Amino acid sequence: MPRFSANLGFLWTDLSLPRAIIAAHAAGFVAVECHWPYETPPEDVLSALDATGLPMLGLNTSRGDTAAGENGLSALPDRETQARAAIDQALEYALAVGAKAVHVMAGNAQGPSAHATFVANLGYACAQAAPSQITILIEPLNRNDAPEYFLRNTDQAVVIMNEVNAENLKLMFDCYHVGRNEGDVITRFKALQTVIGHVQFAAVPDRGAPDHGEINYSHVFRELDAVGWAMPLGAEYKPGGPTEATLGWMKTLV
């Protein structure tokens, strides 16, 4: 039976992060995750987590200067100082709220120097995270939503993970991005299962709730169950209105 985590970067964005955690618990989610929680004091988040009993699965490193179009820092040559500061910030926050994963965002870059920079910064992140048993995640983003993003597909991610060669470096397998970039989500999942650290989902192509679109998530959830995937699946979709109005899939797709 699949279990679900609410990604509060997209769900209940009209609420403060602590109130969104409480709303996720009331809706039946068994965990939460977020994008960039840094404006919320971690003690407030921890209080809401303790009150609900929900774990915070993970969070992202800073995107950098979003006004200038930045979408992560760790693959940007000559930005090592800022990239590692963002990694340190994310790890510190994760420790404070008990999160066990940090998604290190690559950013908009390309070429061999970006590859080398990303590998070096991931090596740093994994070394810093290891004593606290925190997993470092990397996530390919699809070309339609993020055409300049460095990490573009799962094959590239596997090459990078092999080069870094750290036990706590895993793949964020987002069915939405894989579906848009590569297709055949279940085949890709099965081929990559041993290196996957977290699974997310949303409808393709509109990134809405998973009850419509090109991917049959009822089938996907059954297949993930069948191969023994037991971790909560991250609902990272854009509700396009009140989150509560979009949650029917939690009953109809399982």
Side-chain angles (χ1 to χ4, degrees), residues 31-46:
V32 292
E33 56 202 68
C34 58
H35 289 163
W36 305 282
Y38 304 109
E39 294 184 0
T40 304
E43 56 269 23
D44 293 351
V45 173
L46 187 60

Side-chain angles (χ1 to χ4, degrees), residues 46-156:
L46 187 60
S47 178
L49 295 173
D50 288 343
T52 59
L54 298 185
M56 175 71 75
L57 298 186
L59 51 95
N60 297 348
T61 57
S62 170
R63 290 177 291 180
D65 185 354
T66 55
E70 291 185 339
N71 196 24
L73 300 168
S74 286
L76 276 56
D78 303 320
R79 297 289 297 278
E80 180 181 275
T81 298
Q82 296 96 324
R84 297 192 178 190
I87 290 166
D88 292 342
Q89 176 193 38
L91 289 173
E92 180 180 3
Y93 200 102
L95 275 173
V97 301
K100 289 300 183 182
V102 166
H103 168 209
V104 173
M105 298 197 67
N108 299 329
Q110 59 182 333
S113 60
H115 176 95
T117 300
F118 196 36
V119 167
N121 284 327
L122 287 173
Y124 172 84
C126 291
Q128 295 299 110
S132 303
Q133 298 183 311
I134 291 176
T135 298
I136 298 299
L137 299 171
I138 57 174
E139 179 184 20
L141 304 185
N142 78 80
R143 293 183 295 274
N144 298 285
D145 291 355
E148 305 298 324
Y149 199 72
F150 172 72
L151 193 58
R152 301 170 69 89
N153 57 62
T154 55
D155 286 340
Q156 181 191 11

Side-chain angles (χ1 to χ4, degrees), residues 1-2 173 185-194 196 199 219-231 233:
M1 184 74 170
F173 188 94
V185 168
I186 293 300
T187 297
R188 293 304 296 153
F189 176 87
K190 290 179 178 178
L192 295 163
Q193 184 175 354
T194 59
I196 293 172
V199 177
H219 173 69
V220 169
F221 296 156
R222 285 197 304 270
E223 287 291 312
L224 296 188
D225 242 9
V227 299
W229 187 264
M231 296 173 61
L233 308 173

Side-chain angles (χ1 to χ4, degrees), residues 140-177:
L141 304 185
N142 78 80
R143 293 183 295 274
N144 298 285
D145 291 355
E148 305 298 324
Y149 199 72
F150 172 72
L151 193 58
R152 301 170 69 89
N153 57 62
T154 55
D155 286 340
Q156 181 191 11
V158 170
V159 168
I160 289 168
M161 288 191 290
N162 287 339
E163 191 168 339
V164 176
N165 192 29
E167 290 185 0
N168 62 333
L169 179 60
K170 298 291 184 180
L171 176 68
M172 177 100 79
F173 188 94
D174 189 325
C175 299
Y176 166 74
H177 289 297

